[in-house]
Structures are given as structure tokens and as C-alpha cells.
Amino acid sequence: QVQLVESGGGLVQPGGSLRLSCAASGSFFRINNMRWYRQAPGKQREFVGEIITGGSPNYADSVKGRFTISRDGAKNTVALQMNSLKPEDTAVYYCNIVVATATTNFMNYWGKGTLVTVSS
């Protein structure tokens, strides 16, 4: 079983920064993909960014140049550094990972989310 815990959310002023973290725990062979999604009030959940093992990070157009995804493999964590935050970034942010429970078995897991509020 794999569990994800997001942390780092909170209230920040426009133009400020926050760093979100997602920690994975449990039994798995390897973490293949780590992604961030967000869901604003009354809106659909949307893709924010991802980092895939062996590849470069990918970002939604709305956050390019402002957000950065990084991974710490030794700690099984992924971080989302958010700079130049805007009120429209307000949302619950979710961590999503794909893990290999064995060399040929893959499973998808979601965290419970952490709230980011950008307001003056």
C-alpha cells in the first residue's frame, strides 16, 4: 500500500511564494511519475506539472516560468516551488504518482490535497 501526504499550503499575498511537498510512503519498487494537479472552487481539476523519471519537467501554460517541480528520490518526495503567485492560483493542490509495485506492475495514487490561497 502507498500513501501520499502533501504539505506546505497556506495563505500568501499576490506575488509571494510557497513551496509544496509531497511525500510517498509504503511498499513499492520505484516511483516512475510524479504530478501536481489543482482544483479551484467550482472548477474542474486541472494539470499543473509533472516530472517523469528520465525526462524533463512539463508544465501547464498557466504556470510556466513561475512554478518549478523537483524530485528528491532518496526521500521519495516531489516539491512544487510556486513563485509570483496570483489570485487565480488559489486552489487545492493534489499530488499524483505512478509507482511500480514490481518491475512490471504499475499503480496510480493520489494525495488528499493541500489548500493554497492567494489573497491580499
Side-chain angles (χ1 to χ4, degrees), residues 19-63:
R19 185 177 179 87
L20 306 183
S21 180
C22 174
S25 62
S27 179
F28 52 84
F29 177 73
R30 181 182 65 187
I31 297 176
N32 287 72
N33 306 324
M34 307 191 81
R35 300 183 175 95
W36 286 97
Y37 290 79
R38 68 185 182 186
Q39 187 168 20
K43 297 184 178 180
Q44 300 269 330
R45 185 174 298 184
E46 66 174 342
F47 171 80
V48 174
E50 66 181 353
I51 183 166
I52 300 174
T53 300
S56 300
N58 298 307
Y59 304 96
D61 289 341
S62 59
V63 305

Side-chain angles (χ1 to χ4, degrees), residues 78-94:
V78 61
L80 181 67
Q81 179 66 45
M82 305 183 294
N83 299 324
S84 302
L85 284 163
K86 305 174 181 179
E88 51 263 43
D89 294 319
T90 296
V92 176
Y93 284 72
Y94 297 90

Side-chain angles (χ1 to χ4, degrees), residues 97-101 105-109:
I97 68 168
V98 175
V99 303
T101 56
N105 296 319
F106 303 94
M107 298 186 70
N108 186 287
Y109 293 91

